[in-house]
Amino acid sequence: MNAPRRKLKVATASLAGCFGCHMSLLDIDERLFALLELVELDRSPLTDKKHCGPCDLGLIEGGLCNAENVEVLREFRRSCKVLVAVGACAVNGGLPAQRNHLDVRDCLKAVYPVVPNDPELPLPLDKVHPLSDVVRIDYFLPGCPPPAEALWQFLTDLLHGRTPQLGHGLIHYD
Amino acid sequence: MTPAALHALLEKHRHDPTRLVQILREAQDVAGWISPPLITEVAGHLGVPRARVEGVAGFYSFFATQPRGEYRVLFSDDITDRFHGSERLRLDLCSQLGVEPGKLRADGRVSVGVTSCTGLCEQGPALLVNEHAIPRLDDARIAQVAELIATRHPLREWPAELFVVDDSIELRGWLLGASVAPGEALGHALALSPDAFLEQLAKSKLRGRGGAGFSTADKWRSAKQAPGPTRFVVCNADEGEPGTFKDRVLLRRQLDLVLDGMTACAWTIGAQRGFVYLRGEYRFLEAPIEAALAARRKAKLLGRDVLGHRGFDFDVELHLGAGAYVCGEESALLESLEGRRGIPRNRPPYPVTNGYLHQPTVVNNVETFASVALIALHGGDAFAAVGTPKSSGTRVHSVSGDCAKPGLYELPMGATVRALLDACGAVEPQAVQVGGPSGVLLSPREFDRRLCFEDVPSAGAFVVFGPERDLLDVVVNYAHFFAHESCGFCTPCRVGTTLLERSLDAIDAGRGTRRDVKEALRLSRMLRDSSHCGLGHTACNPFLSLYEKFKPTLERRLSSLDFVPTFDVDEALAAAREVTGRDDVKAHLEDV
């Protein structure tokens, strides 16, 4: 097996998503130990690091719904050699993109009696976008969420230097 | 629509569900649009599921399932219309009428949108108002149309000169120049036995003019030999390929040759019924064709015992399409004739064995049937003597775009591209699109190639692009055309044509990168390999031709060789800035 010579640095993030893809990653269960033999986690909800250092691989779930999402995504693109859009929202915008036929101004006014203007709050984009609209994405991993088996297959392929390939049963489009 | 009116309409169509497209078209003429209660009524009376009627109503562009106003104006959106300023004229009309493009005006009276090429390319820009064509648009005509709509002039009282369509014949051959009495060619055919006429047809080496170039004699023989209680003859006059308008003129000038050819076909294969499937955009031909059919019935050229041949009964019905390019594909056309959505069938079986109502059916193009009449008149050998060894006879080319004399040119098969360019007065053309968007884009290096089945086959369209044109505009226009006309049945085409459109739009908007080009190439392969019918297989041709032959034209429009966002990220925050009143540093994103 063409195993990497050193542990690969991996960062993960959830943008306009539901953390379901991260949950699916945890669903690889005991193989997490095998995975941790191969990788070292950088910025990730699992490490609570706030910024991303130079990484071999970035996994992003969720699409882009606000300015902060765009900034995080750009940081990942600057830091990661390989960037993967994980799950339906990252690939296509997914469920959050259902607001795209509404005017974001109307949405805000409908939700807040007084629309907050605190600079700490990220401003929403007028439409929800897939990641590939803003940065170059190297791989797309479809599914809502991609099943644990698919994540495992994909990651082990990638970590061992094989071009990732998902068989029929591993692609869930719904 | 009153119950009595609907009843009379259904009575006229014998409550026949295969006539559903015609029923909906005529009901819409009366009711203005096809409302949900109307759909329920029609379905109930015809005894078909409501979903089927709604499915048909939703499929065709010219059927409105929402109120569309008294006046529905659709500008032809072919690239040649755009060359002649259709975009500006459309926006002018919108502002004169106070309508938002593509939307119904608040008073519900008028809407202004676009439709695919209306087949008036040599006298564009053109528009359709309630499916009636108005060519040669200019500022004066737009002002006139705006005035007529503003004053609510009923359409039938509009000045007739607005609707005059020219025939634009520039070069006549023996087809466009033929001057024979109705039935004369048919008389020659019927003097021979069906087998003997089929032999003449085989000798003529005639190949279908619709684009695929299949041997007409072989097609007829297969239909003749196929088992079945009855047989049909269908004339494909759904001339939807952008840039093609020869059938429009043939149906007006040489209609009797076409009908002679159809009747000769019925004689040869043993058919009793025939159809002319006319595209909805050519509605102005409906009355003249109906009149010609009536005249032929009177002259015993149609009906019982045609020309006194006992037992040879044949009649032709006219069917109008309703704005669907895909119905030019023969099996989709048959579906539409049977009153369904125009979705191409699986092939095989082919129409020659399983055509209309799954009976043996010959489907030929207008020009093919007219050529059959010439063969009846002059004999198979004389026909084969014209043209090239594998492409006999002449070809009628529809020439439009940047040339001095757009119009119809009939040349022997095998004429060079250059010969046609010289004839139409094209000055320094940078490219020619032959055969419409699904055909091929030729660069000057290829102008000595010959227009025939051996070299550059063509369905008849010939669009010239002068030195000032940006060919990317052309390819983007064609990509929009295919995305709009995809019937939606198979996923590769439904999704692929739209993704291809988006990639090309990004390049056109100056946000394209090499990655978009790569993506478009990947999509093109996917369309070609996995689409259900020819629409998807050929939808990538314009882009592939551009990539292969005019790569710098494409590349100079790329904004970066790496990546740029597909939208302006800072601009995307403007709405939220407005409603929060913020303008701080964090309320902005760099457009990097």
Side-chain angles (χ1 to χ4, degrees):
Chain A
M1 195 151 66
N2 185 17
R5 267 170 270 171
R6 58 173 174 81
K7 280 195 173 184
L8 294 181
K9 281 210 161 188
V10 177
T12 76
S14 176
L15 305 180
C18 68
F19 278 92
C21 298
H22 277 82
M23 296 306 291
S24 198
L25 178 62
L26 297 183
D27 273 346
I28 65 174
D29 298 332
E30 73 279 8
R31 286 170 291 188
L32 277 169
F33 296 107
L35 183 64
L36 288 172
E37 293 294 311
L38 297 171
V39 306
E40 181 186 335
L41 284 177
D42 194 276
R43 173 178 178 162
S44 164
L46 304 169
T47 60
D48 222 17
K49 278 191 190 165
K50 298 296 178 219
H51 288 283
C52 191
C55 280
D56 297 288
L57 176 63
L59 304 174
I60 299 200
E61 78 160 275
L64 304 166
C65 77
N66 63 30
E68 188 198 21
N69 291 161
V70 173
E71 276 163 356
V72 173
L73 177 64
R74 284 177 166 170
E75 182 181 298
F76 267 67
R77 182 68 275 179
R78 279 194 301 273
S79 313
C80 302
K81 289 182 198 159
V82 172
L83 195 57
V84 186
V86 181
C89 303
V91 174
N92 285 320
L95 222 58
Q98 287 197 349
R99 78 155 157 93
N100 282 1
H101 69 285
L102 302 171
D103 189 311
V104 71
R105 284 168 285 224
D106 297 339
C107 293
L108 288 169
K109 285 189 223 156
V111 171
Y112 298 104
V114 180
V115 180
N117 61 359
D118 188 329
E120 285 306 306
L121 297 173
L123 287 184
L125 299 167
D126 56 356
K127 298 233 184 304
V128 176
H129 289 267
L131 304 185
S132 60
D133 275 1
V134 170
V135 300
R136 181 168 45 76
I137 294 293
D138 301 299
Y139 295 98
F140 297 86
L141 189 53
C144 184
E149 289 303 324
L151 279 160
W152 175 249
Q153 173 81 45
F154 180 84
L155 288 174
T156 47
D157 275 348
L158 214 58
L159 295 172
H160 292 113
R162 298 184 294 260
T163 304
Q165 251 181 356
L166 297 181
H168 179 69
L170 296 181
I171 298 182
H172 284 202
Y173 281 118
D174 55 345
Chain B
M1 191 168 191
T2 63
L6 181 62
H7 185 73
L9 176 61
L10 291 168
E11 200 59 23
K12 179 183 149 199
H13 291 287
R14 306 179 296 272
H15 288 78
D16 182 354
T18 66
R19 302 192 57 84
L20 182 56
V21 176
Q22 307 308 305
I23 291 169
L24 290 179
R25 190 174 61 80
E26 291 174 26
Q28 175 172 275
D29 278 350
V30 179
W33 63 292
I34 300 171
S35 62
L38 180 60
I39 290 174
T40 309
E41 284 283 302
V42 169
H45 286 298
L46 295 183
V48 297
R50 189 184 184 284
R52 184 170 148 205
V53 179
E54 185 166 2
V56 169
F59 183 83
Y60 297 90
S61 290
F62 289 172
F63 289 160
T65 48
Q66 281 173 348
R68 58 172 191 171
E70 277 165 55
Y71 301 96
R72 187 196 197 195
V73 181
L74 294 172
F75 277 76
S76 176
D77 198 25
D78 184 40
I79 188 69
T80 56
D81 293 294
R82 287 191 169 227
F83 284 172
H84 295 113
S86 62
E87 277 297 276
R88 187 183 62 76
L89 292 171
R90 180 167 64 92
L91 297 176
D92 279 358
L93 183 65
C94 285
S95 73
Q96 287 178 39
L97 291 171
V99 293
E100 222 180 301
K103 300 227 169 97
L104 187 61
R105 199 168 68 183
D107 64 1
R109 201 173 293 159
V110 54
S111 61
V112 178
V114 293
T115 188
S116 300
C117 176
T118 54
L120 296 162
C121 325
E122 90 290 12
Q123 47 196 305
L127 61 73
L128 302 175
V129 53
N130 298 355
E131 285 92 64
H132 294 270
I134 301 181
R136 294 183 305 279
L137 296 175
D138 55 19
D139 291 326
R141 286 196 148 205
I142 289 294
Q144 196 180 357
V145 167
E147 173 70 18
L148 287 164
I149 292 175
T151 53
R152 291 185 80 176
H153 238 73
L155 194 61
R156 60 179 180 281
E157 287 171 21
W158 286 25
E161 51 93 19
L162 273 180
F163 301 99
V164 172
V165 172
D166 287 339
D167 284 343
S168 319
I169 298 176
E170 292 292 336
L171 188 62
R172 282 183 173 79
W174 62 356
L175 187 50
L176 288 173
S179 162
V180 288
E184 192 177 329
L186 180 63
H188 282 77
L190 266 55
L192 302 176
S193 70
D195 285 325
F197 186 66
L198 193 55
E199 201 176 308
Q200 286 299 314
L201 199 61
K203 275 190 183 166
S204 77
K205 298 186 191 164
L206 174 65
R207 294 170 70 170
R209 299 312 200 220
F214 191 76
S215 156
T216 306
D218 288 350
K219 186 182 274 187
W220 289 21
R221 189 176 297 114
S222 303
K224 185 178 169 64
Q225 289 168 354
T230 179
R231 273 149 237 285
F232 295 96
V233 179
V234 176
C235 175
N236 184 345
D238 191 53
E239 184 176 50
E241 192 71 39
T244 318
F245 49 89
K246 64 182 179 66
D247 294 345
R248 185 193 87 213
V249 179
L250 283 170
L251 288 170
R252 196 136 80 165
R253 292 295 190 93
Q254 301 295 7
L255 178 58
D256 277 297
L257 283 186
V258 177
L259 294 170
D260 276 1
M262 286 181 73
T263 314
C265 178
W267 170 249
T268 308
I269 68 168
Q272 283 87 46
R273 280 175 74 195
F275 297 96
V276 173
Y277 187 99
L278 183 70
R279 69 185 305 219
E281 289 82 347
Y282 290 170
R283 194 173 171 165
F284 53 89
L285 294 175
E286 183 186 12
I289 292 176
E290 289 289 9
L293 290 174
R296 286 179 75 93
R297 283 180 200 117
K298 224 170 157 185
K300 290 277 172 205
L301 296 172
L302 286 175
R304 282 200 161 273
D305 301 334
V306 174
L307 282 179
H309 286 260
R310 278 188 70 96
F312 176 39
D313 306 334
F314 182 65
D315 211 325
V316 173
E317 284 173 48
L318 178 64
H319 265 246
L320 258 85
Y325 165 73
V326 74
C327 289
E329 197 278 341
E330 59 178 6
S331 66
L333 183 150
L334 292 170
E335 286 288 300
S336 180
L337 263 186
E338 291 181 16
R340 280 195 287 269
R341 294 162 70 89
I343 289 171
R345 297 175 178 171
N346 285 332
R347 302 190 314 166
Y350 293 95
V352 285
T353 57
N354 296 64
Y356 181 67
L357 304 179
H358 289 277
Q359 301 307 311
T361 303
V362 164
V363 185
N364 274 140
N365 174 262
V366 170
E367 193 181 344
T368 312
F369 281 123
S371 300
V372 166
L374 287 183
I375 291 161
L377 285 168
H378 304 293
D381 288 330
F383 192 88
V386 178
T388 70
K390 286 183 179 165
S391 313
S392 57
T394 60
R395 181 87 243 222
V396 181
H397 299 278
S398 316
V399 178
S400 61
D402 299 313
C403 60
K405 291 179 291 177
L408 290 188
Y409 292 78
E410 184 180 357
L411 293 169
M413 281 281 193
T416 62
V417 172
R418 196 179 302 284
L420 188 47
L421 284 169
D422 289 344
C424 71
V427 183
E428 289 181 44
Q430 64 164 321
V432 184
Q433 182 79 29
V434 178
S438 68
V440 58
L441 184 68
L442 300 180
S443 76
R445 239 171 270 158
E446 302 169 277
F447 286 174
D448 288 317
R449 292 182 68 180
R450 297 187 308 152
L451 298 161
C452 56
F453 295 111
E454 294 98 314
D455 193 0
V456 186
S458 165
F462 190 93
V463 186
V464 184
F465 302 123
E468 308 299 321
R469 303 297 179 190
D470 190 329
L471 293 176
L472 186 65
D473 292 344
V474 176
V475 171
V476 168
N477 178 273
Y478 289 164
H480 282 259
F481 168 75
F482 284 117
H484 176 72
E485 295 294 346
S486 171
C487 80
F489 169 70
C490 77
T491 309
C493 177
R494 181 182 66 247
V495 177
T497 51
T498 295
L499 291 178
L500 188 60
E501 172 188 57
R502 281 194 203 161
S503 290
L504 290 169
D505 277 347
I507 296 171
D508 191 37
R511 288 188 168 272
T513 64
R514 189 154 281 174
R515 191 177 157 273
D516 291 292
V517 176
K518 237 172 99 183
E519 179 67 3
L521 285 171
R522 190 185 67 79
L523 288 165
S524 300
R525 267 198 307 277
M526 192 266 303
L527 277 164
R528 198 167 258 189
D529 294 346
S530 52
S531 296
H532 177 61
C533 80
L535 192 155
H537 296 154
T538 56
C540 51
N541 286 358
F543 167 71
L544 290 177
S545 285
L546 186 76
Y547 183 77
E548 189 190 330
K549 297 171 188 174
F550 298 92
K551 212 169 169 190
T553 296
L554 187 65
E555 286 179 338
R556 70 178 173 221
R557 292 281 284 274
L558 300 182
S559 61
S560 145
L561 294 182
D562 183 36
F563 188 91
V564 288
T566 60
F567 65 102
D568 182 334
V569 286
D570 188 53
E571 186 58 33
L573 293 174
R577 277 197 297 267
E578 182 192 318
V579 76
T580 55
R582 280 176 54 190
D583 198 23
D584 54 283
V585 161
K586 285 191 161 183
H588 286 277
L589 282 166
E590 268 179 84
D591 190 12
V592 284

